[in-house]
Amino acid sequence: MTTSISPQADANLGTSADGHATPPMAFKTAFAADVADLLRARFPIIQVFTFEEERAFKAITEVAETLTYEVHMWSVVHGLTAKERADDDRSRLLKDSLGDFKLALDQCERMAQDGKRRLFVFFDPFPFLSDKPADAIYRRRLREFAMAIRSRGYNVSLVIIAPSLDIPLELEKEVTVIDFPVPDRDQITRFIRHFIARMAGNSRVKVEPGEELVNTLVDASIGLTMAEIENCLAKALVHDRAISSDDTRFMFEEKKQIIRKSGILEYIDNHSLSAADVGGLDVLKRWLEIRSLAFTREAKAYGVDTPKGVLLTGIPGCGKSLSAKCTAAAWGLPLVKLDMGKIFSSLVGSSEERMRSALSTCEAIAPCVMWIDEIEKGLAHSSRTIGDSGVSLRVFGTLLTWMQEKTAPVFLFATANDVGALPPEMLRKGRFDEVFFVDLPNDEERRAILEVQIRRRRRDPTKYDLPRLVELSGETQFGPDIRLSGAEIDAWVGEALIEAYQRTHQSDTPGDLEMADFEAVLRRLVPLAQTRRDQFAQMRGWAADHAVSATKRPAVDAAKRAGGRTIHFN
C-alpha cells in the first residue's frame, strides 16, 4: 500500500530529472521557511500578524519569488495590483473598481483558474469582515475562495497582512495565523552599524567611539520595530547632533509609548529609587542581585537561562510592592505593571485577548520587569465557583502557559497577600524561580526602615534615639509576634511629624520633631499584627514548608517562630 500527500501540496514538492523529490529550499529566517512551507502546502489563507507592513511584505515577496510565484497586492485604497518583477518592481493597476473586497476576490479566482502560481497579498481587509449583516457577503466570498483553492486545485494562496486578529468565526478554520517577528539582534546590529558608519562620515555629528556603543544601543532596541529604532536614532541625532550610549533613553521613551498605547499596562517611573530604599530583606535582595547578572550578554554566552520571575507573599505592608519598584530600578530595566482588573471585559473572548495582548506587549519591550500586584485577586482558584462562565480560568491558563513557555527576557515580579487563594499549579517550580515569604520586620530591619523614613522627611536619623524607636515598634512594646510593619512605620513617622508641626505651630517657640512626638502617636496606634494575629500565624505555618524567608534570622527560636526555609550565600 502506498501513501500519497494531498493534491494541492503535490504540485509544489518539485522533482529532479531522475524523478526523485528535490530537497527543501534553505531560507534565511525561520519566518521565511514557515511561509515557504505554507505556500508549498498550498494553505488557502495565511494571516501575518504585524505592524511592520513594509518589512513583512518584503520578506513574503522574497519567498514568493524564490518559489516563482507571481505576486499581486490588494488594498482598499489602490485596489488589486500586480507586482511585476520585469518592470523594476513597479506595480500596475488592474482595475480601479477592485478596491471593493468582493470584486477583488472575484478577480483573484478568475486569475487562479489559469493554473499559474500566484500569491495574493491583502492589506487590512478586516473592516470588510466584521460581524455586521451587511458584511456577510464578504465573509462568505472569502470562505468560498478558500474552499475553491483546496477543492479545485488552484495553485494560489492568499496572505493577509494586518496588525489585528479579528478573524470571523466562520473563517477560523480557513485562516492560518503566523507572527512576523520584530527584528532580531543580528538585524538590529547590522542596521545600527550602518547608521553609525553613515553618521561617522558627517563632520557635524559627534559619534562616540568603540564597539560598546553598538552593543548598548542594540540592547536598548530589542523589541522595537525597525521603524521605531530609526525614529529613536533620528530623534537622538536631532537632539544634540551626537550618537552616544546616553541615547538609550530615547529607546526607553519609545517603549513607554508602546505601554501607554496598550491601555492595559502601566509604566511605573522608578528612576529615583534604589535597592537601598528597601529596609531589610537582605536574603531577597542578595538573591535578586545574583539574578540581575543573568540579563547580561556574557551570561547568555555562558549558557545561563533568563530568570523567569519571583513571587513575594507574606504580611501586608512589609515592602513587597516597594521591592518590585526598587528591583527594576536597580537593574536599570523598565517596570511595567499589569492591572488584572483591566484584563476582564464583558465581551466574549475579550478578556483572553487582552491578556495575550498585554503579554505580547511586555515581550515587545523586553528586557523588562512585569509587576503583578496582589495577583491572587485577579486569578481564580480552580476549585472555587466562579460565576463568569470560566473566563477567569481561561485567563489564568493563558498566563500559566506564558510563564512556563516564555523565552523573552521578561522578569515576572508577583506579590500576594493571601497565598491560599492562589491555585497550586502556579506555585510549582518552573512558573517562578523562587517563592519568598516576607514577615514583619525584625529589630535590625525596623531600624533600617526608620532610617529610610526619617531621612525621607528631610531629618537626620542620628539625632534620634533609634534603639528606643526600634524597641517601641516591636515585641517589647506590643507583645510576642506583634511588631509594626514597614507601612505602619512609614505612617508612624509621618504622624509624628504632623504631631510635631501641630505642637510647634500652637506655641511661639519654634521646634522640630522629637522623641515625645513618636511616643504620643504610638499610644493611639493599633498594629495590624494584633488584630489579625491568627491569620498571620497561619501564613507563617504555610511559609515554613513552601517558601524561603526573605530575611536573615539571627536566632534558631526566631526562625522556628517565623517559619520558612533559608538560603545561604557565599
Side-chain angles (χ1 to χ4, degrees):
M1 184 178 70
T2 59
T3 303
S4 62
I5 59 175
S6 58
Q8 69 264 28
D10 186 57
N12 281 338
L13 278 179
T15 56
S16 60
D18 58 3
H20 292 88
T22 58
M25 298 179 181
F27 291 92
K28 294 180 180 179
T29 65
F31 172 80
D34 288 343
V35 172
D37 289 342
L38 294 174
L39 294 182
R40 287 157 63 89
R42 210 173 304 163
F43 275 52
I45 305 176
I46 306 163
Q47 187 195 343
V48 178
F49 179 77
T50 181
F51 285 93
E52 295 189 273
E53 185 176 284
E54 292 183 5
R55 278 187 64 233
F57 178 68
K58 181 179 179 182
I60 292 168
T61 301
E62 289 175 353
V63 173
E65 291 178 347
T66 301
L67 299 176
T68 65
Y69 275 74
E70 185 178 300
V71 180
H72 300 264
M73 303 166 291
W74 176 90
S75 72
V76 69
V77 174
H78 298 293
L80 192 64
T81 62
K83 188 177 187 302
E84 296 184 304
R85 295 183 294 278
D87 192 21
D88 195 24
D89 288 345
R90 288 178 297 177
S91 301
R92 61 183 177 83
L93 192 65
L94 292 179
K95 188 176 181 182
D96 291 339
S97 63
L98 294 188
D100 182 274
F101 187 63
K102 179 182 178 300
L103 294 178
L105 290 176
D106 290 342
Q107 178 64 18
C108 288
E109 185 158 1
R110 281 193 290 271
M111 288 190 289
Q113 293 172 359
D114 64 9
K116 292 183 179 180
R117 291 185 179 181
R118 286 190 172 91
L119 179 64
F120 303 106
V121 182
F122 279 48
F123 299 98
D124 299 324
F126 286 117
F128 288 93
L129 303 174
S130 71
D131 56 0
K132 297 177 182 178
D135 291 332
I137 186 172
Y138 301 116
R139 299 194 300 272
R140 184 61 198 177
R141 184 66 188 92
L142 182 57
R143 189 179 185 189
E144 288 181 353
F145 184 42
M147 291 188 292
I149 292 174
R150 289 198 309 272
S151 61
R152 300 178 185 176
Y154 293 156
N155 203 4
V156 302
S157 290
L158 188 149
V159 172
I160 295 173
I161 299 179
S164 61
L165 289 174
D166 302 325
I167 301 173
L169 179 63
E170 54 265 46
L171 289 170
E172 283 186 356
K173 300 300 182 182
E174 308 292 345
V175 179
T176 300
V177 180
I178 58 175
D179 293 318
F180 183 66
V182 294
D184 59 27
R185 188 175 190 88
D186 290 339
Q187 292 172 321
I188 295 175
T189 300
R190 288 195 298 270
F191 178 80
I192 290 180
R193 284 187 194 280
H194 177 71
F195 184 89
I196 291 176
R198 205 153 42 89
M199 292 301 106
N202 190 330
S203 59
R204 295 180 298 173
V205 177
K206 182 180 179 181
V207 178
E208 180 181 301
E211 183 65 17
E212 188 60 28
L213 171 63
V214 176
N215 292 330
T216 301
L217 293 177
V218 170
D219 288 341
S221 301
I222 297 296
L224 297 177
T225 66
M226 203 64 83
E228 289 168 336
I229 296 171
E230 187 174 9
N231 288 340
C232 292
L233 293 173
K235 185 176 180 181
L237 200 61
V238 170
H239 177 72
D240 57 5
R241 291 187 178 275
I243 300 296
S244 68
S245 299
D246 293 337
D247 293 332
T248 55
R249 68 183 187 274
F250 295 108
M251 280 70 174
F252 287 124
E253 286 176 3
E254 188 66 32
K255 292 182 178 183
K256 286 170 63 176
Q257 285 291 324
I258 296 174
I259 295 167
R260 188 176 292 117
K261 287 183 282 190
S262 73
I264 303 172
L265 300 168
E266 178 184 357
Y267 182 89
I268 305 298
D269 189 357
N270 58 354
H271 69 279
S272 61
L273 297 174
S274 68
D277 291 307
V278 179
L281 306 185
D282 293 332
V283 175
L284 171 64
K285 289 196 287 188
R286 177 58 178 156
W287 185 91
L288 290 169
E289 181 184 347
I290 294 173
R291 292 307 178 279
S292 68
L293 301 175
F295 288 93
T296 62
R297 293 187 299 273
E298 294 79 6
K300 186 175 182 180
Y302 194 76
V304 176
D305 293 330
T306 303
K308 289 181 175 291
V310 65
L311 171 64
L312 264 60
T313 182
I315 310 301
C318 290
K320 297 187 293 294
S321 299
L322 179 61
S323 296
K325 298 176 183 178
C326 293
T327 296
W331 290 0
L333 297 179
L335 178 61
V336 183
K337 184 178 181 181
L338 173 60
D339 186 348
M340 296 298 294
K342 294 181 180 179
I343 292 293
F344 295 97
S345 170
S346 59
L347 298 177
V348 177
S350 179
S351 300
E352 299 90 321
E353 178 58 31
R354 286 186 179 188
M355 174 58 83
R356 287 190 292 268
S357 174
L359 298 178
S360 297
T361 301
C362 285
E363 291 184 340
I365 65 167
C368 66
V369 176
M370 186 176 79
W371 172 32
I372 306 181
D373 197 24
E374 299 187 7
I375 190 173
E376 77 277 14
K377 294 182 179 178
L379 298 178
H381 195 300
S382 57
S383 63
R384 298 184 179 182
T385 302
I386 306 296
D388 61 0
S389 302
V391 173
S392 298
L393 294 179
R394 291 196 296 273
V395 169
F396 170 57
T398 300
L399 178 60
L400 273 189
T401 301
W402 176 80
M403 290 171 63
Q404 185 69 37
E405 303 296 334
K406 71 181 176 73
T407 57
V410 179
F411 186 84
L412 176 58
F413 202 115
T415 66
N417 290 328
D418 181 12
V419 73
L422 285 175
E425 53 266 41
M426 170 162 276
L427 301 175
R428 75 165 178 82
K429 280 291 185 181
R431 311 292 191 199
F432 294 103
D433 295 318
E434 194 56 86
V435 178
F436 282 93
F437 180 75
V438 181
D439 205 342
L440 294 168
N442 58 31
D443 291 355
E444 183 181 342
E445 291 176 319
R446 293 201 306 281
R447 181 184 180 112
I449 296 171
L450 281 163
E451 290 176 348
V452 170
Q453 296 301 336
I454 293 174
R455 194 176 293 110
R456 193 167 69 85
R457 269 81 176 188
R458 301 191 299 277
R459 301 297 191 279
D460 184 0
T462 61
K463 293 183 178 181
Y464 301 93
D465 188 353
L466 289 175
R468 175 60 177 161
L469 292 176
V470 170
E471 187 179 84
L472 289 172
S473 61
E475 297 180 7
T476 303
Q477 176 73 18
F478 299 108
D481 289 334
I482 302 179
R483 307 184 293 277
L484 295 186
S485 67
E488 288 171 329
I489 293 174
D490 180 12
W492 181 29
V493 176
E495 287 292 325
L497 196 62
I498 293 175
E499 187 83 13
Y501 178 75
Q502 180 186 15
R503 173 174 50 77
T504 57
H505 183 70
Q506 293 176 347
S507 66
D508 296 333
T509 305
D512 198 5
L513 178 65
E514 299 176 357
M515 289 294 296
D517 300 313
F518 286 99
E519 294 173 354
V521 171
L522 197 67
R523 284 194 289 269
R524 56 178 183 264
L525 194 154
V526 179
L528 186 64
Q530 183 173 316
T531 59
R532 300 173 68 178
R533 183 195 299 264
D534 293 340
Q535 181 182 354
F536 289 177
Q538 292 177 356
M539 295 169 67
R540 293 187 181 106
W542 177 90
D545 298 322
H546 300 90
V548 172
S549 173
T551 302
K552 291 179 182 177
R553 279 166 288 185
V556 174
D557 57 340
K560 291 180 179 178
R561 186 166 64 245
R565 296 178 284 118
T566 58
I567 294 180
H568 301 284
F569 298 104
N570 294 327

